[in-house]
Amino acid sequence: MVEYYFRRDLMHELLLVETDQRRNFIPFLTKNSWKVDEADESGLLDQCVPHPLSDAPLKENVLHRRGKYLEGVSGGPEEWNDLLACAERIEETPNGPRIKVHLAEYFQYLSSCGSLEDETYDAIRRPGRKTPIRDEALSSIAAASQNPLGAHGLGMQVALVYGDAAEYKILVQRRSNSVALYGGALAVVPVFGCQTLDITAQTHLSLFHNFLRETYEELYGGTEVERRGPQVDPTWFYSKPPVARLLDYHASGILSFRILGFGIDALNGEVNVAALALITDSAVAAREIREMRVNWEVQQISAWHLFGEELDVGLTRGDFSPGSAYAIARAREYLAGRR
């Protein structure tokens, strides 16, 4: 993927991670104007309710190749195919970049982004093979910003950091091999696709709500809230002890949640928003970590030094999924001045 942009003299559109001794280009399309330190999500997301729906076609051959994974996300007799938030397009405005939101069914998203993903793997296996989907949809940031495949997923990669300026640590997960994308790779935690409050077109999209939902699922073993359940109030899980504590920490300033920017995964065209969840009370962080446990999406979770050599090596060696590499790089940039 990196070579593709090298041949087009577009390396400046890829994420470059640098340390004192190493540097590496990551297949993640982004630019300086998409760094949005402490952006308000209402200013970043352009959305209206009810949300427009994608008209992206289903591609049976792409879905068939993912049949084994689809069995893993089945909710019983019916396969899981609820609505996901997608990026309709990305626009530059006088007040900064904005991501226009629409919704697509999960199978539409798999068909759109999966076809690009399949083409990419095929081109890696057979060098020189033509890549018409990439040439249309992801040949540059300008092309990718129009999200021409119709159902480009909108996800988040959250760097969960704790400690103080003397020693910041970050939670790093090894992805399960059961997940659809980047199985076995290193990543931040939580990582997730975004959905509206009640998973219909009738409610708005909240990035902070999605962070709470996925933290509850991925780090506290909570019920999977991405499925529509019998609860009337979509914030029903806010009263669960782990989430209630996070909300209290956020209200008191112990936990801050900041959007730091976004970019586009060059493998499949997903738009990934990077955020920083920072817990500044080490005692609180220690108590919460003792309560955390992994779910099926995660093999293991470890605490790494945010500015440590181990993370330097992992980033520059390409061990992290591209969106997570971006989230870590932005968290480092944001917190470097406090050290």
Side-chain angles (χ1 to χ4, degrees):
M1 287 186 287
V2 171
E3 182 183 349
Y4 178 92
Y5 298 101
F6 174 76
R7 293 197 306 264
R8 286 157 177 76
D9 195 26
L10 290 174
M11 296 295 281
H12 61 280
E13 296 193 345
L14 297 180
L15 171 65
L16 173 63
V17 292
E18 296 182 280
T19 66
D20 291 340
Q21 300 178 348
R22 305 175 182 88
R23 67 199 302 264
N24 189 28
F25 284 97
I26 305 295
F28 190 79
L29 295 164
T30 190
K31 54 183 178 178
N32 284 333
S33 66
W34 290 358
K35 295 179 180 180
V36 287
D37 291 2
E38 301 187 55
D40 179 81
E41 63 177 83
S42 64
L44 177 63
L45 301 180
D46 181 3
Q47 58 178 320
C48 61
V49 177
H51 293 276
L53 301 178
S54 170
D55 59 0
L58 296 181
K59 298 180 180 179
E60 295 298 332
N61 59 331
V62 177
L63 295 175
H64 178 73
R65 283 193 289 271
R66 286 156 179 77
K68 185 176 181 180
Y69 171 73
L70 293 177
E71 292 174 7
V73 297
S74 173
E78 296 183 0
E79 293 170 319
W80 187 79
N81 190 31
D82 273 328
L83 292 173
L84 298 173
C86 291
E88 185 176 359
R89 62 182 178 274
I90 301 169
E91 298 177 332
E92 300 286 350
T93 77
N95 297 319
R98 302 204 75 192
I99 302 171
K100 176 69 174 175
V101 176
H102 68 163
L103 304 184
E105 291 182 344
Y106 182 62
F107 285 5
Q108 288 178 295
Y109 152 73
L110 281 184
S111 296
S112 297
C113 290
S115 61
L116 175 59
E117 183 183 329
D118 289 347
E119 181 188 81
T120 303
Y121 286 134
D122 199 26
I124 292 170
R125 286 191 295 266
R126 295 188 281 176
R129 185 172 178 83
K130 294 186 181 300
T131 54
I133 301 175
R134 179 171 299 276
D135 295 344
E136 174 195 0
L138 226 67
S139 60
S140 66
I141 282 180
S145 295
Q146 301 307 308
N147 299 297
L149 298 181
H152 294 255
L154 176 59
M156 288 199 77
Q157 311 258 344
V158 182
L160 183 52
V161 177
Y162 62 94
D164 54 32
E167 184 181 49
Y168 288 118
K169 289 188 176 181
I170 181 172
L171 293 186
V172 172
Q173 65 165 303
R174 174 76 66 180
R175 299 287 284 164
S176 166
N177 289 317
S178 299
V179 297
L181 192 62
Y182 295 118
L186 296 176
V188 294
V189 57
V191 172
F192 51 90
C194 294
Q195 294 176 292
T196 59
L197 283 177
D198 68 354
I199 318 178
T200 74
Q202 308 304 315
T203 53
H204 72 283
L205 167 67
S206 164
L207 299 181
F208 185 63
H209 169 85
N210 275 267
F211 162 70
L212 292 173
R213 182 195 74 185
E214 291 295 327
T215 301
Y216 178 52
E217 291 181 9
E218 289 190 22
L219 289 173
Y220 291 100
T223 304
E224 292 190 342
V225 191
E226 79 273 12
R227 302 176 187 275
R228 272 178 278 190
Q231 293 84 2
V232 174
D233 182 358
T235 65
W236 62 269
F237 62 96
Y238 286 14
S239 62
K240 296 296 183 179
V243 182
R245 293 195 302 270
L246 292 176
L247 288 169
D248 286 343
Y249 301 150
H250 188 255
S252 65
I254 294 173
L255 167 66
S256 61
F257 181 78
R258 294 178 169 88
I259 299 168
L260 298 181
F262 65 92
I264 301 170
D265 190 318
L267 172 61
N268 54 25
E270 287 187 7
V271 176
N272 280 314
V273 177
L276 168 66
L278 176 64
I279 300 176
T280 53
D281 188 315
S282 297
V284 166
R287 287 199 303 271
E288 291 304 318
I289 289 172
R290 285 194 293 270
E291 295 290 326
M292 293 177 180
R293 55 183 180 174
V294 302
N295 73 350
W296 69 271
E297 298 171 89
V298 182
Q299 287 187 39
Q300 64 180 48
I301 296 175
S302 306
W304 294 27
H305 293 282
L306 181 62
F307 293 96
E309 174 72 11
E310 184 180 23
L311 198 55
D312 286 350
V313 173
L315 285 172
T316 54
R317 195 168 55 194
D319 294 344
F320 284 86
S321 64
S324 286
Y326 179 73
I328 293 169
R330 290 294 297 124
R332 282 178 151 193
E333 288 177 354
Y334 184 83
L335 293 172
R338 302 187 179 195
R339 297 179 70 198

